[in-house]
Structure formats: structure tokens, C-alpha cells
Coordinates of all heavy atoms in Angstrom, one line a residue:
M1 N -21.4 -6.5 4.4 CA -20.7 -6.4 3.2 C -21.4 -7.2 2.1 O -21.8 -8.3 2.3 CB -19.2 -7.0 3.4 CG -18.4 -6.9 2.2 SD -16.6 -7.3 2.4 CE -16.7 -9.0 2.2
P2 N -21.5 -6.6 0.9 CA -22.2 -7.3 -0.2 C -21.3 -8.5 -0.6 O -20.1 -8.5 -0.4 CB -22.3 -6.3 -1.3 CG -21.3 -5.3 -1.0 CD -21.1 -5.3 0.5
N3 N -22.0 -9.5 -1.2 CA -21.2 -10.6 -1.8 C -20.4 -10.2 -3.0 O -20.9 -9.4 -3.8 CB -22.2 -11.7 -2.2 CG -22.8 -12.4 -1.0 OD1 -22.3 -12.4 0.1 ND2 -24.0 -13.0 -1.2
L4 N -19.2 -10.6 -3.0 CA -18.3 -10.2 -4.1 C -18.1 -11.3 -5.0 O -18.0 -12.5 -4.6 CB -17.0 -9.7 -3.6 CG -17.0 -8.5 -2.6 CD1 -15.6 -8.2 -2.0 CD2 -17.5 -7.3 -3.4
T5 N -18.0 -11.0 -6.3 CA -17.7 -12.1 -7.3 C -16.3 -12.5 -7.2 O -15.4 -11.8 -6.6 CB -18.0 -11.5 -8.7 OG1 -17.0 -10.5 -9.0 CG2 -19.4 -11.0 -8.9
T6 N -16.0 -13.6 -7.8 CA -14.6 -14.1 -7.9 C -13.7 -13.0 -8.6 O -12.6 -12.8 -8.1 CB -14.5 -15.4 -8.6 OG1 -15.3 -16.3 -7.9 CG2 -13.1 -15.9 -8.7
K7 N -14.2 -12.4 -9.6 CA -13.4 -11.4 -10.3 C -13.1 -10.2 -9.4 O -12.0 -9.7 -9.4 CB -14.2 -11.0 -11.6 CG -13.4 -10.0 -12.5 CD -14.2 -9.7 -13.7 CE -13.4 -8.8 -14.6 NZ -14.1 -8.5 -15.9
E8 N -14.1 -9.8 -8.6 CA -13.9 -8.7 -7.7 C -12.9 -9.0 -6.6 O -12.0 -8.2 -6.2 CB -15.2 -8.2 -7.1 CG -16.1 -7.6 -8.1 CD -17.6 -7.4 -7.6 OE1 -18.0 -8.3 -6.8 OE2 -18.2 -6.4 -8.0
L9 N -13.0 -10.2 -6.1 CA -12.1 -10.7 -5.1 C -10.7 -10.8 -5.6 O -9.7 -10.4 -4.9 CB -12.5 -12.0 -4.5 CG -13.7 -12.0 -3.6 CD1 -14.2 -13.4 -3.2 CD2 -13.4 -11.2 -2.3
N10 N -10.5 -11.2 -6.8 CA -9.2 -11.3 -7.5 C -8.6 -9.9 -7.6 O -7.4 -9.7 -7.4 CB -9.2 -12.1 -8.8 CG -9.4 -13.5 -8.6 OD1 -9.1 -14.1 -7.5 ND2 -9.9 -14.2 -9.6
A11 N -9.5 -9.0 -8.1 CA -9.0 -7.6 -8.2 C -8.6 -7.0 -6.9 O -7.5 -6.3 -6.8 CB -10.1 -6.7 -8.9
L12 N -9.3 -7.2 -5.9 CA -8.9 -6.7 -4.5 C -7.6 -7.4 -4.0 O -6.8 -6.7 -3.4 CB -10.1 -7.0 -3.5 CG -11.3 -6.0 -3.7 CD1 -12.4 -6.5 -2.8 CD2 -10.9 -4.6 -3.3
S13 N -7.5 -8.6 -4.3 CA -6.3 -9.3 -4.0 C -5.1 -8.7 -4.7 O -4.0 -8.5 -4.1 CB -6.4 -10.8 -4.3 OG -5.2 -11.5 -4.0
D14 N -5.2 -8.5 -6.0 CA -4.2 -7.8 -6.8 C -3.8 -6.5 -6.2 O -2.7 -6.1 -6.1 CB -4.6 -7.7 -8.2 CG -4.6 -9.0 -9.0 OD1 -4.0 -10.0 -8.4 OD2 -5.2 -9.1 -10.1
Q15 N -4.9 -5.7 -5.8 CA -4.6 -4.4 -5.3 C -3.9 -4.4 -4.0 O -3.1 -3.6 -3.7 CB -6.0 -3.6 -5.2 CG -5.8 -2.1 -4.8 CD -5.1 -1.4 -5.9 OE1 -5.3 -1.6 -7.1 NE2 -4.2 -0.5 -5.5
L16 N -4.3 -5.4 -3.1 CA -3.6 -5.6 -1.8 C -2.1 -5.8 -2.1 O -1.2 -5.3 -1.4 CB -4.2 -6.7 -1.1 CG -5.5 -6.4 -0.3 CD1 -6.1 -7.7 0.2 CD2 -5.2 -5.5 0.9
D17 N -1.8 -6.7 -3.0 CA -0.4 -7.0 -3.4 C 0.3 -5.8 -3.8 O 1.4 -5.5 -3.5 CB -0.3 -8.1 -4.4 CG -0.7 -9.5 -3.9 OD1 -0.8 -9.7 -2.7 OD2 -1.0 -10.3 -4.8
F18 N -0.4 -5.0 -4.7 CA 0.2 -3.8 -5.2 C 0.5 -2.8 -4.1 O 1.6 -2.2 -4.1 CB -0.8 -3.2 -6.2 CG -0.4 -1.9 -6.9 CD1 0.7 -1.9 -7.8 CD2 -1.0 -0.7 -6.7 CE1 1.1 -0.8 -8.5 CE2 -0.6 0.4 -7.3 CZ 0.4 0.4 -8.2
E19 N -0.4 -2.6 -3.2 CA -0.2 -1.7 -2.1 C 0.9 -2.1 -1.2 O 1.7 -1.3 -0.7 CB -1.5 -1.5 -1.3 CG -2.6 -0.8 -2.0 CD -2.4 0.6 -2.5 OE1 -1.4 1.3 -2.0 OE2 -3.1 1.1 -3.3
R20 N 1.0 -3.4 -0.9 CA 2.1 -4.0 -0.1 C 3.4 -3.7 -0.7 O 4.4 -3.3 -0.1 CB 1.9 -5.4 0.2 CG 2.9 -6.1 1.1 CD 2.6 -7.6 1.3 NE 2.3 -8.3 0.1 CZ 3.3 -8.7 -0.8 NH1 4.5 -8.5 -0.5 NH2 2.9 -9.4 -1.8
V21 N 3.5 -4.0 -2.0 CA 4.8 -3.8 -2.8 C 5.2 -2.4 -2.7 O 6.4 -2.0 -2.5 CB 4.7 -4.4 -4.2 CG1 5.9 -3.9 -5.1 CG2 4.6 -5.9 -4.2
L22 N 4.3 -1.5 -3.0 CA 4.6 0.0 -3.0 C 5.0 0.4 -1.6 O 6.0 1.2 -1.5 CB 3.4 0.8 -3.5 CG 3.2 0.8 -5.0 CD1 1.9 1.5 -5.4 CD2 4.4 1.3 -5.7
H23 N 4.4 -0.1 -0.6 CA 4.8 0.3 0.8 C 6.2 -0.1 1.0 O 7.0 0.7 1.5 CB 3.8 -0.4 1.8 CG 4.3 -0.3 3.2 ND1 4.2 0.9 3.9 CD2 4.8 -1.2 4.1 CE1 4.7 0.7 5.1 NE2 5.0 -0.5 5.2
C24 N 6.6 -1.3 0.6 CA 7.9 -1.8 0.8 C 9.0 -1.0 0.0 O 10.1 -0.7 0.5 CB 8.0 -3.3 0.5 SG 7.2 -4.4 1.6
K25 N 8.6 -0.7 -1.2 CA 9.5 0.1 -2.1 C 9.8 1.4 -1.5 O 10.9 1.9 -1.5 CB 9.0 0.2 -3.5 CG 9.1 -1.1 -4.3 CD 8.8 -1.0 -5.7 CE 9.0 -2.3 -6.4 NZ 9.3 -2.2 -7.8
Y26 N 8.7 2.1 -1.0 CA 8.9 3.4 -0.4 C 9.7 3.3 0.9 O 10.6 4.2 1.1 CB 7.6 4.1 -0.2 CG 7.1 4.8 -1.5 CD1 5.9 4.4 -2.1 CD2 7.8 5.8 -2.1 CE1 5.5 5.0 -3.3 CE2 7.3 6.5 -3.2 CZ 6.2 6.0 -3.8 OH 5.7 6.6 -5.0
L27 N 9.5 2.3 1.6 CA 10.4 2.1 2.8 C 11.8 2.0 2.5 O 12.7 2.5 3.2 CB 9.9 1.0 3.7 CG 8.6 1.2 4.5 CD1 8.3 -0.1 5.3 CD2 8.7 2.4 5.4
S28 N 12.1 1.2 1.4 CA 13.4 1.0 0.9 C 14.0 2.3 0.5 O 15.2 2.6 0.8 CB 13.4 0.0 -0.2 OG 14.7 -0.2 -0.7
A29 N 13.2 3.2 -0.2 CA 13.7 4.4 -0.7 C 14.0 5.4 0.5 O 15.0 6.1 0.5 CB 12.7 5.1 -1.6
V30 N 13.3 5.2 1.6 CA 13.6 6.0 2.8 C 15.0 5.7 3.3 O 15.8 6.5 3.7 CB 12.5 5.8 3.9 CG1 13.0 6.4 5.2 CG2 11.2 6.4 3.5
Q31 N 15.2 4.4 3.4 CA 16.5 3.9 3.9 C 17.7 4.3 3.0 O 18.8 4.6 3.5 CB 16.5 2.4 4.0 CG 15.5 1.9 5.0 CD 15.8 2.4 6.4 OE1 16.9 2.4 6.9 NE2 14.7 2.8 7.1
E32 N 17.5 4.4 1.7 CA 18.6 4.6 0.7 C 18.8 6.1 0.5 O 19.9 6.5 0.1 CB 18.3 3.9 -0.6 CG 18.3 2.4 -0.5 CD 17.9 1.8 -1.8 OE1 17.8 2.4 -2.8 OE2 17.6 0.6 -1.7
S33 N 17.8 6.9 0.8 CA 17.9 8.4 0.5 C 18.8 9.1 1.6 O 18.7 8.8 2.7 CB 16.6 9.0 0.5 OG 16.6 10.4 0.2
Q34 N 19.6 10.0 1.1 CA 20.4 10.9 1.9 C 19.7 12.2 2.2 O 20.0 12.9 3.2 CB 21.8 11.1 1.3 CG 22.6 9.9 1.0 CD 22.9 9.1 2.3 OE1 23.2 9.7 3.3 NE2 22.7 7.8 2.3
D35 N 18.9 12.6 1.3 CA 18.2 13.9 1.4 C 17.0 13.8 2.4 O 16.1 13.0 2.2 CB 17.7 14.3 0.0 CG 17.0 15.7 -0.1 OD1 15.9 15.8 0.5 OD2 17.7 16.6 -0.6
Q36 N 17.0 14.7 3.4 CA 16.0 14.6 4.4 C 14.6 14.9 3.9 O 13.6 14.3 4.3 CB 16.3 15.5 5.6 CG 15.6 15.2 6.8 CD 15.9 13.8 7.3 OE1 17.0 13.3 7.2 NE2 14.9 13.1 7.9
E37 N 14.5 15.8 2.9 CA 13.2 16.2 2.3 C 12.6 15.0 1.6 O 11.4 14.7 1.6 CB 13.3 17.4 1.4 CG 12.0 18.0 1.0 CD 12.2 19.2 0.2 OE1 13.2 19.9 0.3 OE2 11.2 19.5 -0.6
L38 N 13.5 14.3 0.8 CA 13.0 13.1 0.1 C 12.6 12.0 1.0 O 11.6 11.3 0.8 CB 14.1 12.6 -0.9 CG 14.3 13.3 -2.2 CD1 15.5 12.8 -3.0 CD2 13.0 13.2 -3.0
K39 N 13.4 11.8 2.0 CA 13.1 10.8 3.0 C 11.7 11.0 3.6 O 10.9 10.1 3.7 CB 14.1 10.8 4.2 CG 15.4 10.2 3.9 CD 16.3 10.2 5.2 CE 16.9 9.0 5.3 NZ 17.6 8.3 6.0
S40 N 11.4 12.3 3.9 CA 10.1 12.6 4.4 C 9.0 12.3 3.4 O 7.9 11.8 3.8 CB 10.1 14.1 4.8 OG 8.8 14.5 5.3
K41 N 9.2 12.7 2.2 CA 8.2 12.4 1.1 C 8.0 10.9 0.9 O 6.9 10.4 0.8 CB 8.6 13.1 -0.2 CG 8.5 14.6 -0.1 CD 7.1 15.1 0.0 CE 7.1 16.6 0.0 NZ 5.8 17.1 0.3
F42 N 9.1 10.2 0.9 CA 9.0 8.7 0.7 C 8.3 8.1 1.9 O 7.5 7.2 1.7 CB 10.4 8.1 0.6 CG 11.1 8.4 -0.7 CD1 12.5 8.5 -0.7 CD2 10.4 8.6 -1.9 CE1 13.2 8.8 -1.9 CE2 11.1 8.9 -3.1 CZ 12.4 9.0 -3.1
Q43 N 8.5 8.6 3.1 CA 7.8 8.1 4.3 C 6.3 8.4 4.2 O 5.5 7.5 4.6 CB 8.4 8.7 5.6 CG 7.9 8.1 6.8 CD 8.1 6.6 6.9 OE1 9.2 6.1 6.8 NE2 7.0 5.8 7.1
E44 N 6.0 9.5 3.7 CA 4.6 9.9 3.6 C 3.9 8.9 2.6 O 2.8 8.4 2.8 CB 4.4 11.3 3.0 CG 4.6 12.4 4.0 CD 4.5 13.8 3.4 OE1 3.8 13.9 2.4 OE2 5.2 14.7 3.9
C45 N 4.6 8.6 1.5 CA 4.1 7.7 0.5 C 3.9 6.3 1.1 O 2.9 5.6 0.8 CB 5.0 7.7 -0.8 SG 4.9 9.2 -1.7
A46 N 5.0 5.8 1.8 CA 4.9 4.5 2.4 C 3.7 4.4 3.4 O 3.0 3.4 3.4 CB 6.2 4.2 3.2
S47 N 3.5 5.5 4.2 CA 2.4 5.5 5.1 C 1.1 5.4 4.4 O 0.1 4.7 4.8 CB 2.5 6.7 6.0 OG 3.6 6.7 6.8
Q48 N 1.0 6.2 3.3 CA -0.3 6.2 2.5 C -0.6 4.8 1.9 O -1.7 4.3 2.0 CB -0.2 7.2 1.4 CG -1.5 7.3 0.6 CD -2.7 7.7 1.5 OE1 -2.7 8.7 2.2 NE2 -3.8 6.9 1.4
H49 N 0.4 4.1 1.4 CA 0.2 2.8 0.9 C -0.1 1.8 1.9 O -0.9 0.9 1.7 CB 1.3 2.4 0.0 CG 1.4 3.1 -1.3 ND1 0.4 2.9 -2.3 CD2 2.2 4.1 -1.8 CE1 0.7 3.7 -3.3 NE2 1.7 4.5 -3.0
L50 N 0.5 1.9 3.1 CA 0.1 1.0 4.2 C -1.3 1.3 4.6 O -2.1 0.3 4.9 CB 1.1 1.3 5.4 CG 0.8 0.4 6.6 CD1 0.9 -1.1 6.3 CD2 1.8 0.8 7.7
N51 N -1.7 2.5 4.7 CA -3.1 2.9 5.0 C -4.1 2.3 4.0 O -5.1 1.7 4.3 CB -3.3 4.4 5.1 CG -4.7 4.8 5.5 OD1 -5.2 4.2 6.4 ND2 -5.2 5.8 4.9
N52 N -3.7 2.4 2.7 CA -4.5 1.8 1.6 C -4.7 0.3 1.8 O -5.8 -0.3 1.7 CB -3.9 2.1 0.2 CG -4.0 3.6 -0.1 OD1 -4.6 4.4 0.5 ND2 -3.2 3.9 -1.2
Y53 N -3.6 -0.3 2.1 CA -3.6 -1.8 2.3 C -4.5 -2.2 3.5 O -5.3 -3.1 3.4 CB -2.1 -2.2 2.6 CG -2.0 -3.7 2.9 CD1 -1.8 -4.6 1.8 CD2 -2.0 -4.2 4.2 CE1 -1.7 -6.0 2.1 CE2 -2.0 -5.6 4.4 CZ -1.8 -6.5 3.3 OH -1.7 -7.8 3.6
T54 N -4.3 -1.4 4.6 CA -5.1 -1.7 5.8 C -6.6 -1.5 5.5 O -7.4 -2.3 6.0 CB -4.6 -0.9 7.0 OG1 -3.2 -1.1 7.1 CG2 -5.4 -1.2 8.2
T55 N -6.9 -0.4 4.8 CA -8.3 -0.1 4.5 C -8.9 -1.2 3.7 O -10.0 -1.7 3.9 CB -8.4 1.2 3.8 OG1 -7.9 2.2 4.6 CG2 -9.9 1.5 3.4
L56 N -8.2 -1.7 2.6 CA -8.7 -2.8 1.8 C -8.9 -4.1 2.6 O -9.9 -4.8 2.5 CB -7.8 -3.0 0.6 CG -7.9 -2.0 -0.5 CD1 -6.7 -2.2 -1.5 CD2 -9.2 -2.1 -1.3
L57 N -7.9 -4.3 3.4 CA -7.9 -5.6 4.2 C -9.1 -5.6 5.2 O -9.9 -6.6 5.3 CB -6.6 -5.8 4.9 CG -6.4 -7.1 5.5 CD1 -6.4 -8.2 4.5 CD2 -5.0 -7.1 6.3
N58 N -9.4 -4.4 5.8 CA -10.5 -4.3 6.7 C -11.8 -4.4 6.0 O -12.8 -4.9 6.5 CB -10.4 -3.0 7.5 CG -9.3 -3.0 8.5 OD1 -8.9 -4.1 9.0 ND2 -8.9 -1.8 8.9
Y59 N -11.9 -4.0 4.8 CA -13.1 -4.1 4.0 C -13.4 -5.5 3.7 O -14.6 -5.9 3.7 CB -12.9 -3.3 2.6 CG -14.1 -3.5 1.7 CD1 -15.3 -2.7 2.0 CD2 -14.1 -4.3 0.7 CE1 -16.4 -2.8 1.2 CE2 -15.2 -4.5 -0.2 CZ -16.4 -3.7 0.1 OH -17.4 -3.9 -0.7
L60 N -12.4 -6.3 3.5 CA -12.6 -7.8 3.2 C -13.0 -8.6 4.5 O -13.5 -9.7 4.4 CB -11.4 -8.3 2.6 CG -11.1 -7.8 1.2 CD1 -9.7 -8.3 0.7 CD2 -12.2 -8.2 0.2
R61 N -12.8 -8.0 5.6 CA -13.1 -8.8 6.9 C -14.5 -8.7 7.3 O -15.3 -8.0 6.9 CB -12.2 -8.3 8.0 CG -10.8 -8.7 7.8 CD -10.0 -8.2 9.0 NE -8.6 -8.7 8.7 CZ -7.6 -8.2 9.4 NH1 -7.7 -7.3 10.3 NH2 -6.4 -8.7 9.1

């Protein structure tokens, strides 16, 4: 992995936080929704943001 600047590390940290928050919000929407189609879409979004989070985290390791 190339050396990252402080600015780049801060940006990645911000993006990790953003992905984590979105994952949690979509999971909450899954719990609150009564419509099965919406629940499914919200779950897809939650999974995608968790995947984004994991990918970024693995990049930093």
C-alpha cells in the first residue's frame, strides 16, 4: 500500500464514518418499515454500505 498523507487518511476516516452511519440508518429503516419491498431495498442498501465500509477498512490494513 502506498504511503498516504494525513489529509488522505482523514478523508478515508471520514468516509468510514459516513459508511458506518449509513449502514446503521438503513438497518433502522428496515426495522421501521412495514412494506416488504421497501424492507428489501433498505436491506440491500445497508449491505452495500457495510461492504463499502469493509472494503475501505481492509484497504487501510
Side-chain angles (χ1 to χ4, degrees):
M1 180 172 88
N3 289 336
L4 299 173
T5 66
T6 301
K7 185 175 181 178
E8 290 168 329
L9 287 172
N10 286 338
L12 285 170
S13 177
D14 288 346
Q15 189 64 38
L16 279 169
D17 289 342
F18 182 68
E19 295 296 344
R20 183 180 47 80
V21 166
L22 284 174
H23 172 71
C24 290
K25 285 188 179 212
Y26 279 114
L27 284 181
S28 178
V30 168
Q31 297 298 318
E32 293 175 14
S33 180
Q34 301 298 319
D35 183 289
Q36 201 57 38
E37 188 175 340
L38 277 177
K39 281 180 138 187
S40 177
K41 293 293 182 184
F42 290 149
Q43 185 60 54
E44 286 176 30
C45 291
S47 295
Q48 182 60 54
H49 287 289
L50 180 59
N51 184 43
N52 293 348
Y53 179 87
T54 304
T55 299
L56 283 170
L57 194 59
N58 287 337
Y59 177 76
L60 292 172
R61 289 183 179 163

